Amino acid sequence: MKKSIKRVLSLFLICILLLQCVACNKATVSNESTKNVENEETQNIISNTRIFVDSLGREITLPINIDRVAITGPLAQIVCFPICADKLVGIANEWDKNAKEYFQEKYYNLPLLGQLYGGKGELNLETLLKYAPNVIIDVGESKKGMTEDLDKLQNQIGIPFVHIDATLAKMDETYTILGELLNMKEEAKVLSDYCKETYDRALNLSNTVEKKNVLYCLGQTGLNVIAENSYFSEVFDLLCNNVAKIDNPSSKGSGNEIDAEQLLKWNPDYIFFAPDSIYDTVEDNVIWDSINAIKNKNYYKVPASPYNIFGFPPSVQRMLGLTWCMYTLYPENCDFDIRDEFKKFYQMFYHANLTDEMLDKILYK
């Protein structure tokens, strides 16, 4: 009898041990499954993002695929429009009123987001969050404190900010970087190649011609000028002898104000007038009638529809400014048709097909 009881107890203990082993195995399998799921989720997150280094040296985590883009200002707006118009969730400021003639309605009526630097409209963070861009792009000059500004905003709203440098000489690199950022390398290459070819052509011409004495005048009286070595004078400084040599060049698009005495001292041979200046009446103005450029009728109104080709804002349309400036000042050194150049630029950068009538209007024919 005792032996039977012992056997029963032994069998009972063995069953308990077996059940515990099964339970342990199930727990182990469950833990391993949970870990595998967590690892898989982590890998999915990692595989759907990448690290992008912007022009400020900031390392930014971005989605691999970017299909919703916001911009911080008018310069970025014009630079980004050619490559990613259909990805823009909004615009930094309203398009110029003339743009409606060229842009498709879907682009012209994009939501207004405001701009980060300069201008009257502040960047509207609430609106940005509403349209949920994958990235917010700033293009232009690197400014003091910009790294801190962008980091702060990025942390505040949880959307990555990217800054990309843009100067006239390096606009091809700007598009190459944009292509990497947006995973649009082929589209970027077309724009980059155009910018490089245009700039190189202007650079080669500037190295072979005797540069002409030029002044760029703005304002209702024409007595605001774009000074040499300012951000807005890059086109003139490359192709002309910019006679506006001023100790403290203005960083604003309105330039530096001068007086009639200074104008007479400089006495430029050629003058470019901004569209809002006194081009139409300058010959009737006694202040100007003794200036060489006016006497010899070597003065020109700068094309500016939809945007001033010399850079207001100083964006990619300055490439067309280079071409027009070469053709206007040194036609004997140019082997291209200026009308073809305008049509090509408008198609590539504004997504617009110019008619001859539209082009005549732009060129003030």
Side-chain angles (χ1 to χ4, degrees):
M1 183 70 179
K2 289 181 178 178
K3 289 182 178 180
S4 298
I5 292 172
K6 286 181 179 179
R7 285 178 182 175
V8 171
L9 289 172
S10 297
L11 289 170
F12 180 71
L13 290 171
I14 290 170
C15 288
I16 290 174
L17 289 171
L18 288 171
L19 288 171
Q20 287 178 338
C21 288
V22 170
C24 287
N25 286 335
K26 285 183 177 179
T28 301
V29 170
S30 177
N31 288 336
E32 288 297 325
S33 298
T34 301
K35 288 180 180 178
N36 288 337
V37 170
E38 290 176 351
N39 288 336
E40 186 176 346
E41 290 176 351
T42 301
Q43 287 300 319
N44 284 337
I45 292 172
I46 293 172
S47 64
N48 289 326
T49 60
R50 59 198 162 106
I51 300 298
F52 179 85
V53 181
D54 75 357
S55 297
L56 298 170
R58 299 163 59 246
E59 293 187 354
I60 305 155
T61 301
L62 295 172
I64 287 177
N65 296 314
I66 292 176
D67 56 12
R68 298 176 64 77
V69 173
I71 66 279
T72 64
L75 196 159
Q77 187 166 309
I78 299 176
V79 168
C80 291
F81 184 71
I83 189 172
C84 62
D86 290 322
K87 295 186 178 188
L88 294 177
V89 300
I91 51 179
N93 61 357
E94 293 181 356
W95 294 111
D96 187 277
K97 61 183 179 180
N98 294 319
K100 196 168 187 177
E101 186 175 354
Y102 310 102
F103 294 176
Q104 295 179 43
E105 188 174 352
K106 64 179 180 178
Y107 303 134
Y108 195 80
N109 292 328
L110 284 167
L112 186 63
L113 305 177
Q115 63 187 78
L116 180 59
Y117 294 103
K120 297 178 181 178
E122 292 184 359
L123 196 63
N124 190 319
L125 300 184
E126 185 176 337
T127 305
L128 273 176
L129 288 170
K130 175 183 175 182
Y131 290 102
N134 305 123
V135 65
I136 303 167
I137 302 174
D138 180 75
V139 177
E141 285 185 294
S142 297
K143 301 177 180 67
K144 185 178 180 181
M146 182 176 280
T147 295
E148 292 76 14
D149 290 345
L150 298 188
D151 284 345
K152 181 179 178 180
L153 286 167
Q154 184 170 291
N155 293 332
Q156 183 178 348
I157 66 174
I159 301 174
F161 277 77
V162 169
H163 171 76
I164 299 174
D165 283 343
T167 62
L168 189 67
K170 299 294 181 66
M171 191 60 72
D172 60 319
E173 295 181 12
T174 299
Y175 278 109
T176 298
I177 297 170
L178 273 172
E180 294 172 355
L181 170 67
L182 300 169
N183 276 332
M184 301 180 72
K185 293 183 180 180
E186 291 183 10
E187 295 88 344
K189 187 176 187 308
V190 174
L191 301 170
S192 176
D193 287 350
Y194 171 90
C195 292
K196 181 169 177 52
E197 289 167 8
T198 300
Y199 186 82
D200 286 351
R201 180 171 63 186
L203 182 62
N204 290 336
L205 184 144
S206 74
N207 290 330
T208 57
V209 298
E210 183 178 349
K211 293 183 180 179
K212 295 180 177 177
N213 297 328
V214 179
L215 185 65
Y216 185 54
C217 298
L218 309 87
Q220 293 182 350
T221 66
L223 293 177
N224 280 60
V225 299
I226 298 299
E228 185 182 46
N229 296 325
S230 70
Y231 188 60
F232 287 86
S233 70
E234 288 185 297
V235 171
F236 320 113
D237 293 351
L238 177 63
L239 289 170
C240 318
N241 173 30
N242 184 353
V243 299
K245 303 183 190 320
I246 294 174
D247 291 338
N248 296 303
S250 172
S251 60
K252 297 180 180 180
S254 56
N256 290 81
E257 187 174 358
I258 62 168
D259 55 28
E261 183 180 358
Q262 181 62 71
L263 175 67
L264 290 168
K265 284 182 179 178
W266 284 335
N267 194 19
D269 296 318
Y270 291 79
I271 294 178
F272 294 135
F273 285 106
D276 62 349
S277 195
I278 60 169
Y279 171 83
D280 293 327
T281 60
V282 68
E283 288 188 10
D284 301 323
N285 192 309
V286 294
I287 295 176
W288 296 83
D289 60 9
S290 62
I291 301 297
N292 286 340
I294 308 303
K295 286 192 299 184
N296 299 321
K297 299 189 182 300
N298 289 326
Y299 64 98
Y300 307 88
K301 190 175 182 181
V302 178
S305 184
Y307 289 97
N308 188 313
I309 63 171
F310 281 168
F312 301 89
S315 193
V316 69
Q317 79 276 18
R318 293 186 298 171
M319 288 295 158
L320 189 56
L322 284 174
T323 301
W324 183 82
C325 189
M326 285 189 284
Y327 185 83
T328 301
L329 295 177
Y330 314 103
E332 66 280 2
N333 297 92
C334 298
D335 59 357
F336 53 81
D337 186 309
I338 192 63
R339 298 179 69 88
D340 289 344
E341 292 292 327
F342 266 77
K343 288 180 178 180
K344 180 179 180 180
F345 182 91
Y346 274 61
Q347 198 283 322
M348 289 178 65
F349 290 87
Y350 294 146
H351 306 293
N353 295 315
L354 290 181
T355 64
D356 287 331
E357 184 179 358
M358 294 164 70
L359 185 52
D360 286 343
K361 185 178 177 181
I362 292 167
L363 295 173
Y364 307 112
K365 296 291 185 181

